[in-house]
Amino acid sequence: MNKLMTTSRRKFIKISALGIGGVAATASAINVFGANSYLDDLVKQKVSKEFKRTATYCEVCFWKCAAWAYTNEEGEIKKIIGNEDDTHCEGRLCPRGTGGVGMYTDEDRLKTPLIRTTVNGEETFRKASWEEALDLIASKFKTVIDSHGAESIALIKHGAPGAHLEHLFQAFGSDTIAEPAYAQCRGPRETGFKSTFGTWVGSPEPTDIRDTKCLVLIGSHIGENMHNSQVQEMSDAIDNGATIITVDPRLSTAASKSKHWLAIKPATDIALMLSWMNVLIEEGLYDKAYVEKYGLGFDELKEHVKQFTPEWAYGITTIKPDEIRKTARVMAHAAPSVIIHPGRHVVWYGDDTQRARAMAILNGLLGSWGRRGGFYFKESIKVPKFPHPEYHHPKWGWKEIGAKYPLAEMGITSEVLRAAIPSEDNKYPVKALMVAGTNITKSIPDRKLLEEAIEALDFMVVIDTMPMDVTGYADVVLPECTYLERYDGIRSATNRHPSIAVRIPAVTPKYDSKPVWWMAKQIGERLGVGEYFNYNDFKEVIEWQLKEMGTSLEEMEKIGVKNYPRKSGPLYLNENENYQFTTASGKIEFYSHELKNLGFDPMPVYTSHPEPPQGFYRLNYGRAPMHTFSRTANNPNLNDLMDENKLWVNPKVARILNLKSGQEVWLRNQDDITSTFSIKVRVTERVRWDSVYMVHGFGHQNKKLSRANGKGINDTQLISKIAVDPIMGGTGMRGNFVTILTENPHKNTEI
Ligand SMILES: Nc1nc2c(c(=O)[nH]1)N[C@H]1C(S)=C(S)[C@@H](COP(=O)(O)OP(=O)(O)OC[C@H]3O[C@@H](n4cnc5c(=O)[nH]c(N)nc54)[C@H](O)[C@@H]3O)O[C@H]1N2
Ligand SMILES: Nc1nc2c(c(=O)[nH]1)N[C@H]1C(S)=C(S)[C@@H](COP(=O)(O)OP(=O)(O)OC[C@H]3O[C@@H](n4cnc5c(=O)[nH]c(N)nc54)[C@H](O)[C@@H]3O)O[C@H]1N2
Ligand code: SF4
Ligand SMILES: [Mo]
């Protein structure tokens, strides 16, 4: 049966279920579409037979859902819908993906290459030809290579452009590469789970949500965090009677759908988890056979958590002992079909690897790793690398720059930036920087460090589709065409079974924009490493790769997605087999000798974190279902759904400060940093009295963003205090406190 044509039973969040001629179900508990003419039209619109459909995968976030872009005879993209054969997105796009065409139509897009220049003493950009811009980049890069070495050119990237540029950098000899999706996102979780189970969680998370009986979300707000198939699986799980336990100081969408909402005091999650371990062990509720067979260090853990009773945790977390016991029993009752979700954006308080360890250990005690309804064993298919000469071996790179953090497994963006600041003991000088597909002024905290680093650089290039804030720092700006206008690398998804998807241009690039693969080749040729780019069109690369994978571009143009059968064995543990985990011991390490040997706590320990001083509130932030970070704020379709963020304020605080919903306020943080723009108050019980909350990604400063400029507050601006995770270098960002100003602090200053 065609899944897209059926009436959905979903009562949770509706993902746009737009089949050909299909109509999205509307009886949604939470209407994420709101009143939006563009999306309403889409829902009603039938796809005319004359429309051409082109296979693509979405770039509005990093889930990479496979889709069809429909274009009419005039070559206009009329709609984008999920590819129904894509199990990775269950055939549907989220509201952001549906609105993705706005990335293409946005008239504020970058249109030509730009070069920094000075006119009448003022710095500005002038339009340049591709030839001139690329020549300038190559000559500046050459100067750095000659005087310092290729290693001194750094790349900070994110999303699809990253892979093409990584290839360029490795071709000319630099491995000084980082992305915010590590030290500002999921790095600590990967280290925490790896030191317990021997493997990263990875993306997408191999959480068997569709078959779970109990899903525990600890500061993970699926539903606002719109990672597509997880939202759909969670919706199914709720329909199937699964219990949801949400630990969040805020009544998130997920919390509102939960049987148990634990409104924890911020920064105390490790205490809660230690007391859960205490209950599971003291009451004998853990999976004894599993722990005995696969676990290492259980006796040490048992001894360690003896003292952490629910009564102890109550004093720290404000969660009642009864509630702690009750929820531990619910989890144990559901086990092994229970998931303590690893979360994703986990750089909170600096002890984040240890918090991730606590989550991993709970999963270990409950026996959920490798079990139905817990975590499945994922599988993907390798895309063969297009032949090229061997890469150079740089003398140093991201690893050396981040060596202070022994378990860092990717570049640490903030350390790469720090390497640009000259000092006597800086052995790894970064002199030039390329930034692509990441708006680092909004995604990397500590603006002071960022500005100091950028100031010290000899040269900076930004590649983006939009005139985002980060472009304002560049010497050269290169306009990339959007994902709907280009070929890109093959998407290989890691799921219950492998699948691939292709991205084929639905339309030709607007303005004078170009794909990054082309820019990489052009720069490579100018730097004398043209032999790494042995093709005229990236299409040739994909054609070759698809052939190697037993298909062809012609076939993929027709189907968009190809699913492959599993080869690695069953999804879950075979109970008769003695499975070896990939840790050093081959076991699930409740006690980590690796951490101990490095001088870290071998088992998670609760440490208290600073609390807001009098008159200050903890700055909390998160996602909205219709936006992705800062990248969609100006998207005409998605801006129409939500054009600014609001400041969630508890009624008690509103009473004390005499604040009303809709009132404009400014924020000042503990380091005296004042928000450039104002934000409207939203008085709501959904946030605790000790915190305020806002959606990340607003408060854009570039005037060229006609819809987003000046709308709302940029949370990152107020995140000046960072708690660095000593194990892997993640930048904990949730220890910042703000005070609320009702008078415009910039009244007499020009912004
Ligand atoms: N304060 C705060 N900071 C955060 C977070 C937070 O919640 N709060 N979240 C953190 C997390 S979890 C992450 S993963 C990171 C994400 O951080 P980023 O990856 O920096 O996210 P975006 O802000 O979406 O920036 C993406 C940039 O890529 C551009 N872009 C979009 N499509 C294309 C394309 O096809 N080609 C090119 N060349 N550019 C494109 C967009 O215009 C935008 O400038 O941020 C982290 N930082
Ligand atoms: N719509 C949409 N979806 C997205 C994205 C997007 O930009 N837009 N980005 C994607 C990416 S890259 C990521 S990494 C994920 C991030 O999404 P998640 O990993 O799900 O969430 P976080 O942003 O870490 O956490 C936000 C939640 O943590 C709660 N919280 C704050 N402090 C504490 C605390 O001390 N303890 C507890 N228990 N909870 C706390 C907040 O109230 C909020 O509900 O979202 C992904 N999905
Ligand atoms: S989850 Fe939404 S925004 Fe992300 S790739 Fe899928 S459809 Fe696009
Ligand atoms: Mo992220």
Side-chain angles (χ1 to χ4, degrees):
M1 186 164 39
N2 182 346
K3 208 167 167 185
L4 299 178
M5 305 291 272
T6 58
T7 315
S8 172
R9 289 175 298 115
R10 284 165 218 280
K11 293 189 190 58
F12 187 42
I13 290 190
K14 293 291 180 280
I15 296 262
S16 101
L18 303 174
I20 298 174
V23 178
T26 49
S28 146
I30 301 130
N31 187 357
V32 290
F33 288 88
N36 177 265
S37 54
Y38 168 76
L39 292 176
D40 281 351
D41 283 353
L42 270 190
V43 172
K44 288 182 205 127
Q45 207 170 13
K46 294 202 173 179
V47 182
S48 143
K49 286 210 175 63
E50 285 77 53
F51 283 7
K52 181 183 98 182
R53 69 175 200 178
T54 309
T56 188
Y57 57 88
C58 181
E59 183 80 15
V60 186
C61 86
F62 311 107
W63 205 254
K64 304 195 184 93
C65 304
W68 293 110
Y70 283 88
T71 41
N72 66 11
E73 284 149 349
E74 284 79 50
E76 294 164 310
I77 302 175
K78 296 313 279 183
K79 75 197 235 171
I80 311 172
I81 63 170
N83 181 323
E84 60 190 272
D85 295 326
D86 191 25
T87 44
H88 176 65
C89 72
E90 298 189 21
R92 298 159 187 218
L93 299 185
C94 85
R96 298 169 296 156
T98 307
V101 65
M103 286 174 82
Y104 164 70
T105 57
D106 197 329
E107 66 287 358
D108 293 338
R109 275 173 60 175
L110 290 169
K111 299 183 175 71
T112 65
L114 300 169
I115 294 179
R116 181 180 288 267
T117 183
T118 311
V119 177
N120 299 332
E122 283 223 11
E123 299 222 345
T124 177
F125 284 119
R126 67 171 170 83
K127 289 183 185 167
S129 69
W130 277 100
E131 213 50 34
E132 187 191 6
L134 294 165
D135 284 350
L136 178 63
I137 294 168
S139 91
K140 293 283 184 183
F141 277 14
K142 264 191 204 141
T143 310
V144 175
I145 293 170
D146 292 345
S147 50
H148 298 275
E151 295 87 347
S152 289
I153 307 175
L155 171 67
I156 299 185
K157 47 94 185 183
H158 202 184
H164 303 294
L165 295 168
E166 218 166 335
H167 176 60
L168 166 69
F169 271 60
Q170 289 180 326
F172 72 68
S174 171
D175 199 19
T176 310
I177 301 174
E179 60 181 84
Y182 185 68
Q184 281 72 46
C185 179
R186 55 198 177 87
R189 164 189 102 173
E190 307 302 6
T191 308
F193 272 69
K194 190 172 175 186
S195 62
T196 314
F197 293 108
T199 149
W200 278 29
V201 178
S203 176
E205 295 78 9
T207 43
D208 206 11
I209 299 178
R210 72 173 185 204
D211 280 333
T212 200
K213 293 192 190 124
C214 177
L215 176 63
V216 185
L217 299 172
I218 303 174
S220 179
H221 55 335
I222 297 177
E224 285 148 298
N225 156 357
M226 212 59 188
H227 272 163
N228 195 341
S229 34
Q230 285 199 8
V231 184
Q232 297 192 56
E233 289 202 16
M234 179 162 156
S235 176
D236 285 347
I238 293 173
D239 282 355
N240 294 335
T243 305
I244 313 288
I245 300 172
T246 298
V247 182
D248 197 311
R250 183 181 66 98
L251 183 73
S252 61
T253 301
S256 73
K257 301 284 145 195
S258 298
K259 179 126 185 253
H260 303 274
W261 168 40
L262 310 185
I264 195 165
K265 180 172 165 184
T268 65
D269 298 81
I270 294 181
L272 170 68
M273 285 191 272
L274 288 170
S275 70
W276 270 341
M277 291 175 207
N278 171 290
V279 177
L280 292 177
I281 294 174
E282 294 299 312
E283 296 190 8
L285 299 172
Y286 66 98
D287 188 332
K288 293 182 197 83
Y290 183 94
V291 166
E292 191 156 310
K293 187 166 178 187
Y294 302 113
L296 178 90
F298 174 75
D299 293 338
E300 288 92 333
L301 181 72
K302 183 176 176 182
E303 193 52 36
H304 177 59
V305 301
K306 223 180 206 127
Q307 52 187 315
F308 304 128
T309 60
E311 284 68 24
W312 166 82
Y314 174 45
I316 296 167
T317 61
T318 72
I319 299 168
K320 297 212 170 79
D322 267 8
E323 194 70 2
I324 296 177
R325 289 204 168 84
K326 201 179 351 170
T327 44
R329 289 171 195 149
V330 170
M331 290 177 219
H333 186 68
S337 297
V338 53
I339 301 164
I340 315 295
H341 196 285
R344 190 163 175 119
H345 171 65
V346 293
V347 286
W348 297 358
Y349 305 107
D351 51 2
D352 305 308
T353 298
Q354 293 290 6
R355 193 181 62 254
R357 276 269 295 158
M359 289 171 156
I361 289 171
L362 279 168
N363 281 305
L365 289 174
L366 292 161
S368 63
W369 193 270
R371 307 295 267 289
R372 182 183 294 279
F375 293 78
Y376 58 81
F377 295 126
K378 61 195 172 183
E379 191 180 314
S380 64
I381 191 162
K382 211 172 156 54
V383 179
K385 190 97 175 125
F386 191 74
H388 62 75
E390 250 193 70
Y391 287 137
H392 296 279
H393 294 286
K395 291 195 204 68
W396 54 270
W398 63 265
K399 222 181 212 144
E400 287 69 21
I401 289 177
K404 217 164 64 182
Y405 303 102
L407 295 185
E409 290 192 78
M410 281 176 75
I412 301 167
T413 47
S414 40
E415 293 306 309
V416 168
L417 288 171
R418 206 183 309 282
I421 302 170
S423 78
E424 268 180 26
D425 54 357
N426 182 1
K427 288 184 284 182
Y428 310 115
V430 165
K431 293 288 171 189
L433 175 65
M434 180 179 269
V435 176
T438 168
N439 189 11
I440 56 173
T441 52
K442 283 211 161 48
S443 50
I444 304 177
D446 193 351
R447 177 66 67 92
K448 202 160 148 270
L449 168 72
L450 188 80
E451 290 191 338
E452 222 181 304
I454 291 178
E455 186 62 35
L457 288 170
D458 290 346
F459 186 66
M460 177 167 161
V461 189
V462 171
I463 306 177
D464 208 296
T465 54
M466 293 292 298
M468 304 302 265
D469 293 344
V470 62
T471 57
Y473 291 93
D475 296 298
V476 178
V477 179
L478 300 180
E480 181 163 39
C481 54
T482 66
Y483 69 104
L484 295 162
E485 304 162 289
R486 65 185 195 230
Y487 283 101
D488 238 320
I490 294 166
R491 181 211 80 182
S492 169
T494 314
N495 288 107
R496 293 180 176 92
H497 66 81
S499 69
I500 56 166
V502 288
R503 180 179 281 166
I504 294 169
V507 283
T508 51
K510 264 195 177 180
Y511 314 116
D512 200 7
S513 63
K514 305 265 190 198
V516 154
W517 68 257
W518 180 86
M519 299 178 212
K521 177 175 158 71
Q522 293 293 319
I523 297 170
E525 284 169 356
R526 283 168 173 75
L527 291 176
V529 292
E531 69 273 23
Y532 289 83
F533 300 88
N534 202 8
Y535 42 85
N536 291 314
D537 193 323
F538 199 71
K539 186 179 172 186
E540 297 161 36
V541 175
I542 303 175
E543 274 175 331
W544 180 88
Q545 291 172 320
L546 291 171
K547 278 227 175 74
E548 293 282 303
M549 298 171 87
T551 173
S552 65
L553 188 56
E554 295 74 57
E555 186 190 20
M556 291 306 290
E557 276 169 353
K558 289 193 203 98
I559 59 178
V561 168
K562 193 174 177 73
N563 292 299
Y564 290 82
R566 263 182 89 84
K567 285 201 172 138
S568 61
L571 272 176
Y572 311 112
L573 280 171
N574 178 347
E575 306 296 342
N576 303 321
E577 211 180 279
N578 204 0
Y579 183 83
Q580 289 287 304
F581 284 81
T582 44
T583 49
S585 62
K587 301 272 183 194
I588 300 171
E589 301 196 354
F590 295 119
Y591 181 100
S592 170
H593 291 280
E594 182 188 33
L595 289 175
K596 172 81 178 158
N597 291 340
L598 290 166
F600 302 116
D601 293 322
M603 291 172 292
V605 169
Y606 166 74
T607 38
S608 69
H609 296 289
E611 307 240 344
Q614 182 73 31
F616 281 77
Y617 304 91
R618 190 181 291 276
L619 176 64
N620 185 8
Y621 56 81
R623 314 273 175 252
M626 65 295 271
H627 280 290
T628 303
F629 311 114
S630 66
R631 66 170 53 196
T632 51
N634 203 67
N635 177 314
N637 308 321
L638 303 176
N639 178 278
D640 206 14
L641 294 181
M642 175 180 175
D643 64 350
E644 60 187 357
N645 54 2
K646 299 248 165 74
L647 186 73
W648 295 30
V649 175
N650 185 275
K652 200 166 126 186
V653 176
R655 237 182 346 265
I656 298 169
L657 300 178
N658 195 22
L659 298 173
K660 305 261 170 313
S661 276
Q663 180 178 349
E664 219 183 335
V665 295
W666 289 257
L667 299 177
R668 179 169 289 152
N669 81 355
Q670 74 284 333
D671 295 325
D672 242 4
I673 295 172
T674 309
S675 65
T676 307
F677 303 115
S678 63
I679 189 167
K680 289 188 188 123
V681 168
R682 172 184 174 190
V683 179
T684 170
E685 293 279 2
R686 292 175 62 177
V687 65
R688 275 173 61 106
W689 58 268
D690 52 4
S691 322
V692 290
Y693 175 82
M694 69 174 72
V695 171
H696 165 67
F698 287 84
H700 287 263
Q701 267 175 282
N702 197 328
K703 294 210 168 73
K704 297 213 168 78
L705 297 169
S706 60
R707 280 168 291 271
N709 175 53
K711 292 287 184 64
I713 283 184
N714 168 14
D715 55 336
T716 313
Q717 184 180 24
L718 301 166
I719 303 178
S720 51
K721 191 165 159 227
I722 312 302
V724 181
D725 189 317
I727 303 176
M728 52 59 66
T731 56
M733 320 210 277
R734 292 231 167 106
N736 287 266
F737 310 121
V738 292
T739 186
I740 301 172
L741 313 175
T742 51
E743 290 285 317
N744 183 355
H746 308 294
K747 236 185 332 221
N748 302 318
T749 40
E750 212 183 309
I751 297 170

